[in-house]
Amino acid sequence: MRGFYIGRFQPYHNGHHHMVEEIADEVDEIVLGIGSAGDSHTRRNPFTAGERVMMVTKALGDLDVTTYVVPIEDLERNSVWVSHVQSMSPKFDVAYSNNPLVVRLFEEAGVEVRSSPMFRREVLEGSELRQRMIRGDGWKGLVPDEVAGTIEEIDGVDRIRQVASSDANGANDGVPTDRDAAPDPE
Amino acid sequence: MRGFYIGRFQPYHNGHHHMVEEIADEVDEIVLGIGSAGDSHTRRNPFTAGERVMMVTKALGDLDVTTYVVPIEDLERNSVWVSHVQSMSPKFDVAYSNNPLVVRLFEEAGVEVRSSPMFRREVLEGSELRQRMIRGDGWKGLVPDEVAGTIEEIDGVDRIRQVASSDANGANDGVPTDRDAAPDPE
Amino acid sequence: MRGFYIGRFQPYHNGHHHMVEEIADEVDEIVLGIGSAGDSHTRRNPFTAGERVMMVTKALGDLDVTTYVVPIEDLERNSVWVSHVQSMSPKFDVAYSNNPLVVRLFEEAGVEVRSSPMFRREVLEGSELRQRMIRGDGWKGLVPDEVAGTIEEIDGVDRIRQVASSDANGANDGVPTDRDAAPDPE
Amino acid sequence: MRGFYIGRFQPYHNGHHHMVEEIADEVDEIVLGIGSAGDSHTRRNPFTAGERVMMVTKALGDLDVTTYVVPIEDLERNSVWVSHVQSMSPKFDVAYSNNPLVVRLFEEAGVEVRSSPMFRREVLEGSELRQRMIRGDGWKGLVPDEVAGTIEEIDGVDRIRQVASSDANGANDGVPTDRDAAPDPE
Amino acid sequence: MRGFYIGRFQPYHNGHHHMVEEIADEVDEIVLGIGSAGDSHTRRNPFTAGERVMMVTKALGDLDVTTYVVPIEDLERNSVWVSHVQSMSPKFDVAYSNNPLVVRLFEEAGVEVRSSPMFRREVLEGSELRQRMIRGDGWKGLVPDEVAGTIEEIDGVDRIRQVASSDANGANDGVPTDRDAAPDPE
Amino acid sequence: MRGFYIGRFQPYHNGHHHMVEEIADEVDEIVLGIGSAGDSHTRRNPFTAGERVMMVTKALGDLDVTTYVVPIEDLERNSVWVSHVQSMSPKFDVAYSNNPLVVRLFEEAGVEVRSSPMFRREVLEGSELRQRMIRGDGWKGLVPDEVAGTIEEIDGVDRIRQVASSDANGANDGVPTDRDAAPDPE
């Protein structure tokens, strides 16, 4: 029995981690899909796929079940998204998500989906965490120790602050950086 | 004499249909281009290209002129968009549109364009129709019978409600689903 | 009951047409998928998707069953190809193909596939037909009348001869034009 | 010593030009990268890459240093953007930018970056210039003469006004045209 | 100290495995990049990225060093390939490869590369292994037990035989299936 | 009067240069399009677009007419190729080519094309030149001095030899590197 759990993990935090622990009680193996794998260096997606692979893998070190961590690049086509995920992941029996679109796409493809109120918490924390990093507030208590270590190693807080300032100072002519995958000089 | 008429047809409704009937008086054959063919499962683009092909083809069943229904995937390049459309469509002599950008692109490419006040109506109805589906208000009177039948067959109202809730509940971290072609879990 | 039949239709010929007639006996509606829709102007893929849509639609004019003709652009990913086809086509119950790869992909996706010895004939005729056009041999007897008419209207024989010469005169530095989607000057 | 300076140059104006003159004092050769080269025909990106190449090249005619003008298409991947730029440009020793994201990406790739308060001015003028064109206010004094000439030759003011009206009249169903690379009829 | 080792792993075999064991003596952590991650269902690339992730992860179960297994989709641009790899992988200090192009690209990007005669063996075995599967000869002795188990679980031998026959029977009109990412019916 | 002349310029050699001089007699301004701009580091396309921009620009230094040098990335769609070229280039009145496919595409788009027997020579020299570089034979006499200088500066001969060996030693499993845009380890 193998479960699939997708997130952007920008960064991987305690909300995600509790969710994974809950899933670990229900399945033999877990696949963690790193969504929007091609995005990085924006306020909303500060970390590369590789950096997120490292965070997640290290944080899962103690877990008893076998885990796979696979980056999933966006295909920009909702109708083929499930097939794309399936091709990048070891075959799975159940998907875990609370996102209505993700749930719908898996269900239309005939994949069993399980939702949980815990997902809600994890969603809120992602945005809050990045805000704290930008403002300089405390955030390390909200993520596993291994994640905090990785973010420090890659100078992550400095990066998110710098790219966030692209929005704030108007340098991008009013278009939020998070929409632009490429730098947007005038 | 062949005319080209493009729309997203999300869904195909009476405004579109009256427009097609008007065009049918002026040309021998009509090509209907299904725009943003790769988009689906969002609040703004709930239906796949194939579902829209079916809606349109069935609704046009009684029309006297020969019709072609061709999906047109986005190329993300305004400057080559006319060539792209021309390569996917039987050769046409005149394009029908009221969208200033579409009009401009066809004109710069030397294609005759005809506009009509009727287009305005059709535009307004698309957004209104989807709102009604989401809110549970009446909408079947605004579309040809064949379209209502197709939407029921594919469980379309349930789908648009579910994907629309991705926006409403904040699960996407503030980014409207319609901007994201791929599911966007935190 | 709806059947799906894919081909490149470069051009649509009698082998295809007999196949469609056979399928028409088994289903209520037929979807014809125009494969490699983005390819054109090569020895192997001389005609645009739009030109092929016109050929096929006109040749099917007398058929009793409802037909849909949909261009299918290549996605370059075998693992998501079936989902892509399904998103571009009205929902279908059975796929017709004799191509082992197509058969395999549909089967792995749980779609019923029917094969027929007639497919073999159609395959051979495509290549033979294009050779005859290039060499100036007779070819009109091998295609429906409407197809011959369309090819003349678009000056098709002249085109295939001209692009075929890109290979023959070495202008492409030894790389066959059919591999190159973009012109390949030295 | 070669310097790289990227901008969208929609259009190239006096703010850019002063910046280039300042850079010319520091380097032997200048590469001007035309960013978002694939975008055109929107309110924010009205001109094609080719039109911008022409504007910039003509405006730089009197400059003493050797200049290269290279279109840079968006790759939609921040993490490979520097490599992409480097592959399209003659090798450069220093990059000039005031955009925090651009600065960050070059620095992470080990490229020296120089910023200047002058960049700020150039940013503000781009948006203001396009507004003036749309409203019919004076704008020619803000750009080099050669740029004004090019914009007239390509009927540029008429174009930006027409595409800008796609937003204003609601024809795009609420989605600003600048986000849509493809025309967006309902 | 982290090492990066890329292969297509179609499938992962003893030659790869011995190489990994040798690398494990030199580094603290190993990243295995699954190349051409988007390719599958061809004679040359029969297995999906997800299937290869499973093979490799299971075969590495006993290894003492920390391992990461990351799919790397092709970007079709040699000049940005190293950046792409770096964005998908945890940061690495040395790359292992014997492929002259891979070596060149890493070296031009300033990454240390180590080669080994053992790579040669691994290369030859991949092609030989797939031939044996197609012909029905013995192959299980050439791969780790976990790989043989995975291939059986996914019915891999049957798949490679079926897609290989697309070439052999001419159904693809002379173009080898391995070149075509999309099915290629006539 | 502006002329457009496209080539891959791998590298720019005397055959190209004589052609440009001939064109310079007929037009006021010349646009040189650098084809397959995204390709590099292969036996057939060893140099990046940026390196080729530098070669061509330097070699054209003495020319009396205004010249523009623009990289043209492949779009993989013959039917939109002319529009793509037109969007990347200053507007031109006549295209120069001897490649039958290029000629055909421009003619179908209504662009005047001029051919010349000199093109033939240029084609042969490209392949011959690269062979000489690989074999270590003399080649500098076949290119303008500025091109020889640029190739030395970027260590070009060493690069083409190294990537060419990817083919020769079988490391790519029988698929020539020139077909693979991404490195292809087994």
Side-chain angles (χ1 to χ4, degrees):
Chain A
M1 173 88 170
R2 203 175 285 131
F4 178 81
Y5 171 40
I6 193 162
R8 294 199 342 271
F9 305 123
Q10 292 281 13
Y12 184 80
H13 54 61
N14 291 337
H16 297 123
H17 200 59
H18 294 153
M19 194 64 226
V20 170
E21 288 171 334
E22 189 167 274
I23 295 172
D25 289 342
E26 299 184 25
V27 300
D28 303 307
E29 297 191 351
I30 301 181
V31 184
L32 276 94
I34 310 266
S36 297
D39 292 356
S40 71
H41 294 84
T42 67
R43 176 199 286 260
R44 191 167 132 72
N45 288 299
F47 306 115
T48 69
E51 290 161 353
R52 291 177 273 161
V53 164
M54 194 160 58
M55 287 178 204
V56 174
T57 304
K58 288 195 179 300
L60 295 180
D62 297 335
L63 217 65
D64 274 344
V65 302
T66 300
T67 53
Y68 306 85
V69 183
V70 285
I72 309 280
E73 297 190 35
D74 286 342
L75 260 202
E76 309 291 316
R77 292 277 304 272
N78 279 339
S79 52
V80 303
W81 185 79
V82 169
S83 284
H84 172 50
V85 164
Q86 289 173 325
S87 78
M88 289 292 154
S89 166
K91 193 173 170 57
F92 52 87
D93 307 289
V94 56
Y96 290 83
S97 177
N98 210 40
N99 179 307
L101 174 56
V102 171
V103 170
R104 179 84 197 182
L105 293 175
F106 275 123
E107 284 177 350
E108 289 196 8
V111 176
E112 183 194 346
V113 187
R114 294 187 193 158
S115 299
S116 153
M118 291 206 64
F119 283 98
R120 194 79 198 91
R121 178 178 160 210
E122 134 229 33
V123 166
L124 293 177
E125 279 179 358
S127 177
E128 168 69 15
L129 248 172
R130 296 191 295 273
Q131 279 304 325
R132 291 191 180 199
M133 288 175 171
I134 292 169
R135 287 192 311 252
D137 296 345
W139 58 272
K140 292 189 186 173
L142 304 176
V143 302
D145 288 349
E146 297 86 351
V147 173
T150 302
I151 290 175
E152 266 178 59
E153 187 187 327
I154 62 175
D155 192 21
V157 174
D158 197 52
R159 186 196 290 162
I160 192 171
R161 264 184 219 155
Q162 193 163 353
V163 299
S165 71
S166 288
D167 301 2
N169 73 358
N172 282 328
D173 203 5
V175 174
T177 304
D178 281 321
R179 283 293 153 63
D180 294 310
D184 185 32
E186 174 66 22
Chain B
M1 171 86 170
R2 201 174 288 130
F4 178 80
Y5 172 40
I6 193 161
R8 293 198 346 270
F9 305 124
Q10 292 280 16
Y12 184 81
H13 55 61
N14 291 339
H16 298 124
H17 200 59
H18 294 154
M19 193 65 223
V20 171
E21 288 171 333
E22 189 169 275
I23 295 172
D25 289 342
E26 299 183 26
V27 299
D28 303 308
E29 297 191 352
I30 301 181
V31 184
L32 276 94
I34 310 267
S36 297
D39 291 355
S40 70
H41 295 83
T42 67
R43 177 199 284 260
R44 190 166 133 73
N45 289 298
F47 307 114
T48 68
E51 290 162 354
R52 290 177 275 160
V53 164
M54 193 159 62
M55 288 178 201
V56 174
T57 304
K58 288 195 178 302
L60 295 180
D62 296 336
L63 216 65
D64 275 344
V65 302
T66 299
T67 55
Y68 306 85
V69 183
V70 285
I72 309 281
E73 296 190 35
D74 286 342
L75 260 203
E76 308 292 319
R77 291 277 304 272
N78 279 339
S79 51
V80 303
W81 185 79
V82 169
S83 284
H84 173 50
V85 164
Q86 288 173 325
S87 78
M88 289 293 153
S89 165
K91 194 172 169 57
F92 52 88
D93 307 288
V94 56
Y96 290 83
S97 177
N98 210 40
N99 178 308
L101 174 57
V102 171
V103 170
R104 179 85 196 182
L105 293 175
F106 274 123
E107 284 177 350
E108 288 196 9
V111 176
E112 183 192 346
V113 187
R114 295 186 192 158
S115 298
S116 153
M118 292 206 62
F119 281 97
R120 193 79 198 91
R121 175 177 161 209
E122 135 229 29
V123 167
L124 293 177
E125 279 178 359
S127 178
E128 169 69 16
L129 247 172
R130 295 191 295 273
Q131 280 303 326
R132 291 192 181 197
M133 287 174 171
I134 293 168
R135 287 192 310 252
D137 296 346
W139 57 271
K140 293 190 186 172
L142 303 176
V143 302
D145 288 350
E146 297 86 350
V147 173
T150 302
I151 290 174
E152 268 179 56
E153 187 187 328
I154 63 175
D155 193 22
V157 173
D158 198 50
R159 185 196 291 162
I160 192 172
R161 264 183 219 157
Q162 194 164 353
V163 298
S165 70
S166 288
D167 302 2
N169 72 357
N172 282 327
D173 203 7
V175 173
T177 304
D178 281 321
R179 284 292 153 65
D180 294 310
D184 185 32
E186 175 67 21
Chain C
M1 171 89 169
R2 202 174 287 131
F4 178 81
Y5 172 41
I6 194 162
R8 293 199 345 268
F9 305 124
Q10 292 280 14
Y12 184 81
H13 55 61
N14 291 338
H16 298 125
H17 201 59
H18 295 153
M19 193 64 223
V20 170
E21 288 171 334
E22 189 169 274
I23 295 172
D25 289 342
E26 299 182 25
V27 299
D28 303 308
E29 298 191 352
I30 301 181
V31 184
L32 277 93
I34 310 267
S36 296
D39 291 356
S40 70
H41 295 84
T42 67
R43 176 199 285 259
R44 190 166 133 71
N45 289 299
F47 307 115
T48 69
E51 290 162 353
R52 291 177 274 160
V53 164
M54 193 159 61
M55 287 178 202
V56 173
T57 304
K58 288 195 179 301
L60 295 180
D62 296 337
L63 216 64
D64 274 343
V65 302
T66 299
T67 54
Y68 306 84
V69 182
V70 286
I72 309 280
E73 298 190 35
D74 286 342
L75 259 203
E76 309 292 319
R77 292 278 303 273
N78 280 339
S79 52
V80 302
W81 185 78
V82 169
S83 284
H84 173 50
V85 164
Q86 287 173 326
S87 78
M88 289 291 154
S89 166
K91 194 172 170 56
F92 52 88
D93 307 289
V94 56
Y96 291 82
S97 177
N98 211 40
N99 178 307
L101 174 57
V102 171
V103 169
R104 179 85 196 181
L105 293 175
F106 275 124
E107 284 177 350
E108 288 196 8
V111 176
E112 183 193 347
V113 187
R114 295 185 191 160
S115 299
S116 153
M118 291 206 62
F119 282 97
R120 193 79 200 95
R121 174 176 162 211
E122 135 230 27
V123 167
L124 293 177
E125 279 179 358
S127 177
E128 168 70 16
L129 246 171
R130 294 191 296 273
Q131 280 302 327
R132 290 192 181 198
M133 288 174 170
I134 292 168
R135 287 192 311 251
D137 296 345
W139 57 272
K140 293 191 185 171
L142 303 177
V143 302
D145 289 349
E146 297 86 350
V147 172
T150 301
I151 290 174
E152 268 180 55
E153 187 187 326
I154 62 175
D155 193 22
V157 173
D158 197 50
R159 185 197 291 163
I160 192 172
R161 264 183 218 156
Q162 193 164 352
V163 298
S165 70
S166 288
D167 301 1
N169 72 357
N172 282 327
D173 202 9
V175 173
T177 304
D178 281 321
R179 284 292 152 66
D180 294 310
D184 185 30
E186 175 67 21
Chain D
M1 172 88 170
R2 203 175 284 129
F4 178 81
Y5 172 39
I6 192 161
R8 295 199 343 270
F9 305 123
Q10 292 282 12
Y12 184 80
H13 55 62
N14 291 338
H16 298 124
H17 200 59
H18 294 152
M19 193 65 225
V20 170
E21 288 170 334
E22 188 168 275
I23 295 173
D25 289 341
E26 299 183 25
V27 300
D28 303 307
E29 299 192 351
I30 301 182
V31 184
L32 276 92
I34 310 266
S36 297
D39 291 356
S40 70
H41 295 84
T42 67
R43 176 200 285 259
R44 190 166 132 72
N45 288 299
F47 306 115
T48 68
E51 290 161 354
R52 290 177 274 160
V53 165
M54 193 158 60
M55 287 177 203
V56 173
T57 304
K58 287 194 179 302
L60 294 180
D62 297 335
L63 215 64
D64 274 343
V65 303
T66 299
T67 54
Y68 306 84
V69 183
V70 287
I72 308 280
E73 298 191 34
D74 286 341
L75 259 203
E76 310 289 318
R77 292 277 305 272
N78 279 340
S79 51
V80 302
W81 185 79
V82 170
S83 284
H84 172 50
V85 164
Q86 288 173 325
S87 78
M88 289 292 154
S89 165
K91 193 171 171 58
F92 52 87
D93 307 289
V94 56
Y96 290 83
S97 176
N98 211 39
N99 179 309
L101 174 57
V102 171
V103 169
R104 178 87 197 179
L105 293 175
F106 275 122
E107 284 177 350
E108 288 197 8
V111 176
E112 184 194 346
V113 187
R114 296 187 191 158
S115 298
S116 153
M118 292 206 63
F119 282 99
R120 194 78 200 93
R121 175 177 161 210
E122 135 229 28
V123 167
L124 293 178
E125 280 180 359
S127 179
E128 169 69 17
L129 246 172
R130 295 191 296 274
Q131 280 303 325
R132 291 191 181 199
M133 288 175 171
I134 293 169
R135 288 192 309 251
D137 296 345
W139 57 273
K140 292 189 186 173
L142 303 176
V143 302
D145 288 350
E146 298 86 350
V147 173
T150 302
I151 291 176
E152 265 179 58
E153 186 187 328
I154 63 175
D155 193 21
V157 174
D158 198 51
R159 186 196 289 161
I160 192 172
R161 264 184 219 154
Q162 194 163 352
V163 298
S165 70
S166 288
D167 301 1
N169 73 358
N172 282 328
D173 202 8
V175 174
T177 304
D178 281 319
R179 284 292 154 65
D180 294 310
D184 184 32
E186 175 68 21
Chain E
M1 173 88 171
R2 203 175 283 130
F4 178 80
Y5 172 41
I6 192 161
R8 293 199 344 269
F9 306 123
Q10 291 281 12
Y12 184 81
H13 55 61
N14 291 338
H16 298 123
H17 200 58
H18 293 152
M19 193 63 224
V20 170
E21 287 171 335
E22 188 168 275
I23 295 172
D25 289 342
E26 299 184 25
V27 299
D28 303 308
E29 298 191 351
I30 301 181
V31 184
L32 276 93
I34 309 267
S36 297
D39 291 357
S40 70
H41 294 84
T42 66
R43 176 200 286 259
R44 190 166 131 72
N45 288 299
F47 306 115
T48 68
E51 290 161 354
R52 290 177 274 160
V53 165
M54 193 159 58
M55 287 178 202
V56 174
T57 304
K58 287 194 179 303
L60 295 179
D62 296 336
L63 216 63
D64 274 343
V65 303
T66 299
T67 54
Y68 305 85
V69 183
V70 287
I72 309 280
E73 297 191 34
D74 287 341
L75 260 203
E76 310 290 318
R77 292 277 303 274
N78 279 340
S79 51
V80 302
W81 186 79
V82 169
S83 283
H84 173 51
V85 165
Q86 288 174 324
S87 78
M88 289 291 155
S89 166
K91 194 171 171 57
F92 52 87
D93 307 289
V94 56
Y96 289 83
S97 177
N98 211 39
N99 179 308
L101 174 57
V102 171
V103 170
R104 178 86 196 179
L105 293 175
F106 274 122
E107 284 177 350
E108 289 196 6
V111 176
E112 183 194 346
V113 187
R114 296 187 192 157
S115 299
S116 152
M118 291 207 64
F119 283 99
R120 194 78 201 94
R121 176 177 162 211
E122 135 229 30
V123 167
L124 293 178
E125 280 178 357
S127 178
E128 168 69 15
L129 247 173
R130 295 191 295 273
Q131 280 303 325
R132 291 191 181 198
M133 288 174 171
I134 293 169
R135 288 191 310 252
D137 295 345
W139 57 271
K140 292 189 187 173
L142 304 176
V143 302
D145 288 350
E146 297 85 351
V147 173
T150 301
I151 290 175
E152 265 178 58
E153 187 187 327
I154 63 175
D155 194 21
V157 174
D158 198 50
R159 186 197 289 162
I160 192 172
R161 264 184 219 154
Q162 193 163 353
V163 299
S165 71
S166 288
D167 301 1
N169 73 359
N172 282 327
D173 202 8
V175 174
T177 304
D178 281 320
R179 284 292 153 66
D180 294 310
D184 185 32
E186 175 68 21
Chain F
M1 173 89 168
R2 202 176 285 130
F4 178 81
Y5 171 41
I6 193 163
R8 293 197 347 268
F9 305 124
Q10 291 281 14
Y12 184 80
H13 54 61
N14 291 337
H16 298 125
H17 200 59
H18 294 153
M19 193 64 225
V20 171
E21 289 171 333
E22 189 167 276
I23 295 173
D25 290 342
E26 298 183 27
V27 300
D28 303 307
E29 298 191 350
I30 301 182
V31 184
L32 276 93
I34 310 267
S36 296
D39 291 357
S40 70
H41 295 84
T42 67
R43 176 198 285 260
R44 190 167 132 71
N45 289 299
F47 306 115
T48 69
E51 290 162 353
R52 290 177 273 159
V53 164
M54 193 160 57
M55 288 179 202
V56 173
T57 304
K58 287 194 179 301
L60 295 180
D62 296 337
L63 216 65
D64 274 344
V65 302
T66 300
T67 54
Y68 306 85
V69 183
V70 285
I72 309 279
E73 297 190 36
D74 287 342
L75 259 204
E76 309 291 319
R77 292 278 303 273
N78 280 339
S79 51
V80 303
W81 185 79
V82 169
S83 284
H84 173 50
V85 164
Q86 288 173 326
S87 78
M88 289 292 153
S89 166
K91 193 171 170 59
F92 52 86
D93 307 289
V94 56
Y96 290 82
S97 177
N98 210 40
N99 178 307
L101 174 57
V102 171
V103 170
R104 179 85 196 181
L105 293 175
F106 274 123
E107 283 176 351
E108 289 196 8
V111 176
E112 183 194 346
V113 187
R114 295 186 193 159
S115 298
S116 152
M118 291 205 63
F119 282 98
R120 193 79 199 92
R121 177 177 160 211
E122 134 229 31
V123 166
L124 293 178
E125 279 179 358
S127 178
E128 169 69 15
L129 246 171
R130 295 190 295 273
Q131 280 303 324
R132 290 191 181 199
M133 287 175 172
I134 293 169
R135 287 191 311 252
D137 296 346
W139 57 272
K140 292 190 185 173
L142 303 176
V143 302
D145 289 349
E146 297 85 352
V147 173
T150 302
I151 291 175
E152 266 178 57
E153 185 187 330
I154 62 175
D155 193 21
V157 173
D158 197 51
R159 186 196 291 162
I160 192 172
R161 264 184 218 155
Q162 192 163 354
V163 299
S165 71
S166 288
D167 301 2
N169 73 359
N172 282 327
D173 203 5
V175 174
T177 303
D178 281 321
R179 284 294 154 63
D180 293 309
D184 185 32
E186 174 66 23

